[in-house]
Amino acid sequence: APGHRSRPYVVRSVPRPLGDAVSLQRKFYLRPNLLSRYRTVIVDKEKPGAAQEIVLTRDELTKMPGTQGDPTRVVLTLPGVSRSPFGFGYYIVRGASFENTGFFIDGHPALFLYHLLGGPGVIHPELIGRITFYPGGYPASYGRFATGVISVETKAPPTDRWHLDVEVDVLKAGVLFSTPFDDKKGQLTLAFRKSYYEVLLPAFAPDVSLSYLDYQMRLSYAFTPKLRFKLLTMGAEDSFGSQAGATSRSSDTAESDFSLGFHRVNAALEWDISSKLRWTNSVMWEYDHTSSFRTAEEDEDVKFGLKGWFMQWRSFFEWKPTSNFKFQAGLD
């Protein structure tokens, strides 16, 4: 009521169902609103504002249900994110057009992060180290996009010994091999995955063809604990085709094909000048292509293609004097 001082209300939480039992206590205060004093507003001074950066690490990437074992699918569960229509490998953030959302792999832009028609990510799950999602207000170092940014950082598998991971399911098969060398200063990782939709689809939809593949080669080496080198070679190829009746005459058919892919080499050198200052230099060289073809009887063939070679160099400093402050400066 107006003129009455706020009374604290204590809210006690029940122990968490997983892990050690932890009891939390937080105080909430009722504060009169100046413009409408008879309306009650709950104010929590400790609660932050709208999230501008969502960092997904090991627990979120491996334990989130509904991802089918693919860490990059976790992004689809976040607020304001939906898959692009027609099965393209893009995500839509806050209703914007799909080309307004930036995809990045190890700091450099990528053509796409996901295979066509609801397929998995283009990077093997064991190489996903961290995913950072910016629904808006992303750092200037990404730039040139109107809405959100999805940034993926790769990591090396465990370096205790060599590892071999073979995956076979009803849609795809894949293999990953990694081994340390030079007294665990370096590590080499090779991965390859291939779908076999083209084998299964004819039994259910003979007029539709679909296939995808991806590969990665990751080499990391620590010259010193403060000076580290990383080389990532990767690529992905997707194709989709369909054949259907085009006119009222049963003999007339229409065929369409769509394909896209990329192949890249990314090299980076990180130097920890001090415990609070880091200097990163990286260069990326990539070939991208997209093509579409459609033909139908009594109609002209429609062909479209776009391809190009791209190169980018980035160099920036990151200074973090305290846990609450970070400063970045550089160029690309």
Side-chain angles (χ1 to χ4, degrees), residues 86-134:
F86 310 113
F88 292 110
Y90 301 97
Y91 280 0
I92 295 175
V93 178
R94 293 179 175 175
S97 181
F98 66 86
E99 68 268 16
N100 290 329
T101 300
F103 296 141
F104 288 82
I105 300 176
D106 285 342
H108 292 275
L111 178 64
F112 59 97
L113 288 180
Y114 307 91
H115 290 293
L116 293 175
L117 298 179
V122 298
I123 306 176
H124 195 284
E126 292 297 326
L127 291 177
I128 302 294
R130 185 174 71 171
I131 298 178
T132 306
F133 172 56
Y134 299 94

Side-chain angles (χ1 to χ4, degrees), residues 50-57 60-61 64 71-83 90-98 100-104 113-114 128-139 142 145-153:
Q52 293 299 315
E53 178 182 4
I54 302 175
V55 180
L56 305 171
T57 54
E60 296 90 349
L61 296 177
M64 181 69 69
T72 56
R73 293 180 187 266
V74 178
V75 177
L76 189 58
T77 66
L78 300 177
V81 182
S82 63
R83 192 105 188 199
Y90 301 97
Y91 280 0
I92 295 175
V93 178
R94 293 179 175 175
S97 181
F98 66 86
N100 290 329
T101 300
F103 296 141
F104 288 82
L113 288 180
Y114 307 91
I128 302 294
R130 185 174 71 171
I131 298 178
T132 306
F133 172 56
Y134 299 94
Y138 50 80
Y142 294 109
F145 290 96
T147 55
V149 161
I150 301 173
S151 176
V152 178
E153 296 182 18

